[in-house]
Amino acid sequence: MPKNVEESGFKYNRVLVIYTRLMNGEVINKAEEAKRFGVALRSIQRDIDSLRCFFADRAAKGELEKELVYDSKLNGYYLKTKDDQSLTNSEILAVCKILLESRAFCKSDITPILEKLLNNCVPKSKQGTFKELISNELFHYVEPRHGKHFVESLWEIGEAVSGHRVMEINYEKQDGSVVERKIQPVGIMFSEFYFYLTGFIEGIDRNAEFSNPDDIFPTIYRIDRIKSFRATEECFDIPYRDRSEEGEFRKRVQFMYGGRLRRIRFIYKGKNVESVLDRLPTARVIEKTDNGCLITAEVFGDGVDMWLRSQGNLLEMV
């Protein structure tokens, strides 16, 4: 084989190695690369110039929003996502902490999620620091008691919601009994350790089954209690007017209990009224007195009563 062909093949291999390391979030130092491959600094510079043109061309075509830049503090080149589309280290750390604190997943499910976040979003030079910051919480992580693996089901359910496809589910109620339901799924929510599916039940005697037969809002199902489900080919229509109420429904169903819409009034005597307003998104302060803050809020069902009692002497119902 002619020498120039061998050299050409070696160059292509070198460029591909550098490209792969850049895509993995590594920083490329020219001197280190020249030593690694046994070539002159100008050879590495030509490789970098070629890669810079490659990324610029792909960005111009809208295929890859990355550019190759030099950072004097890092003493090397790295790939930067244009228009700040990538997560910052602080944002990734915040997401990891929220995931751990949520305790929504089994440990065997949350571990690979965290690993993928680190491997795909954090530069290799920073991954060690990230692992130190979350390793203790992950080691002592307490998974939910139900022990169910449902991560893969979330997307399938989400597709049924997005496609307005009727679902057939077998659902385990709180008393352990299992019921079959045919529902029109309209949303997925998360609250205090659990994911929930909201949907309208088809073919049910509302007078016999519902405490409030005139309830216009969807029923709430804990996803980990759905023993099996099937998205049918049958579709349903949701008028835009009804879809627009979904956000309002979420504000009032903080405790994931269905029931009648209630307006509650109470006096909060504690010092941190902000925590109450955050806990109840519809809450607002009507009046501030020497005795405390008079607050009103709209909520669904009786779930709020447990929270109200947990506040003890800090709260007085009006």
Side-chain angles (χ1 to χ4, degrees), residues 103 142-148 194 222 224:
R103 291 181 52 209
V142 179
E143 60 185 17
R145 300 286 182 180
H146 59 68
K148 303 289 179 59
Y194 307 118
R222 250 177 60 180
D224 61 276

Side-chain angles (χ1 to χ4, degrees), residues 99-119:
L99 283 172
L100 287 164
E101 184 63 26
S102 73
R103 291 181 52 209
F105 306 99
C106 294
K107 192 170 184 178
S108 59
D109 288 331
I110 195 172
T111 299
I113 292 175
L114 295 173
E115 289 176 349
K116 290 171 186 175
L117 274 173
L118 298 186
N119 292 334

Side-chain angles (χ1 to χ4, degrees), residues 6-280:
E6 291 179 354
E7 290 176 348
S8 176
F10 174 69
K11 176 183 177 180
Y12 293 148
N13 179 68
R14 188 176 67 232
V15 171
L16 286 172
V17 170
I18 294 175
Y19 169 84
T20 302
R21 293 175 57 207
L22 284 167
M23 292 298 289
N24 287 333
E26 296 186 39
V27 176
I28 300 300
N29 177 276
K30 283 199 303 182
E32 292 177 0
E33 297 308 308
K35 183 177 179 181
R36 182 194 306 273
F37 291 104
V39 297
L41 283 173
R42 62 178 178 272
S43 297
I44 301 299
Q45 185 61 58
R46 284 195 292 268
D47 295 342
I48 290 173
D49 291 340
S50 297
L51 286 168
R52 182 184 283 119
C53 291
F54 170 80
F55 286 115
D57 179 61
R58 290 297 180 272
K61 294 178 180 178
E63 297 174 0
L64 191 65
E65 291 296 319
K66 292 181 181 291
E67 59 180 335
L68 187 56
V69 298
Y70 179 79
D71 190 313
S72 57
K73 293 181 180 179
L74 298 174
N75 192 27
Y77 295 84
Y78 74 100
L79 279 180
K80 178 183 178 182
T81 302
K82 290 186 175 183
D83 300 326
D84 294 325
Q85 292 179 350
S86 59
L87 293 170
T88 66
N89 291 340
S90 294
E91 290 167 341
I92 297 166
L93 181 60
V95 170
C96 290
K97 291 289 186 179
I98 291 171
L99 283 172
L100 287 164
E101 184 63 26
S102 73
R103 291 181 52 209
F105 306 99
C106 294
K107 192 170 184 178
S108 59
D109 288 331
I110 195 172
T111 299
I113 292 175
L114 295 173
E115 289 176 349
K116 290 171 186 175
L117 274 173
L118 298 186
N119 292 334
N120 290 286
C121 302
V122 179
K124 286 191 178 296
S125 60
K126 300 292 184 183
Q127 288 182 11
T129 302
F130 268 88
K131 289 177 181 178
E132 288 181 10
L133 290 169
I134 67 174
S135 61
N136 187 262
E137 285 179 82
L138 183 57
F139 179 79
H140 293 287
Y141 181 77
V142 179
E143 60 185 17
R145 300 286 182 180
H146 59 68
K148 303 289 179 59
H149 303 277
F150 57 85
V151 176
E152 296 300 326
S153 300
L154 285 176
W155 182 249
E156 294 181 58
I157 294 172
E159 286 188 310
V161 171
S162 176
H164 299 172
R165 295 169 60 190
V166 173
M167 292 180 64
E168 296 173 347
I169 66 173
N170 287 315
Y171 185 73
E172 183 179 352
K173 300 172 70 174
Q174 195 166 0
D175 61 7
S177 61
V178 177
V179 295
E180 295 182 3
R181 292 285 186 262
K182 189 174 183 180
I183 65 171
Q184 299 174 355
V186 293
I188 296 175
M189 300 188 296
F190 175 80
S191 178
E192 293 185 328
F193 314 119
Y194 307 118
F195 284 91
Y196 296 86
L197 169 65
T198 58
F200 295 98
I201 306 175
E202 291 188 351
I204 192 170
D205 186 341
R206 300 178 67 89
N207 289 313
E209 299 288 342
F210 283 31
S211 59
N212 178 20
D214 299 323
D215 186 1
I216 63 171
F217 291 95
T219 302
I220 304 166
Y221 300 94
R222 250 177 60 180
I223 289 180
D224 61 276
R225 287 184 178 166
I226 298 177
K227 300 182 72 65
S228 64
F229 69 88
R230 184 178 75 90
T232 71
E233 296 302 318
E234 180 184 351
C235 295
F236 61 93
D237 294 323
I238 300 182
Y240 182 78
R241 175 181 56 82
D242 295 334
R243 290 287 293 177
S244 66
E245 296 297 324
E246 199 171 301
E248 295 302 315
F249 174 66
R250 182 65 180 89
K251 290 179 185 178
R252 292 163 174 78
V253 66
Q254 289 298 298
F255 303 93
M256 295 300 149
Y257 279 81
R260 296 180 181 275
L261 181 63
R262 301 166 54 192
R263 180 179 293 276
I264 59 174
R265 289 164 59 93
F266 57 89
I267 296 174
Y268 181 70
K269 304 175 183 179
K271 296 180 180 180
N272 187 16
V273 69
E274 184 180 273
S275 63
V276 177
L277 300 179
D278 287 337
R279 189 68 181 85
L280 303 172

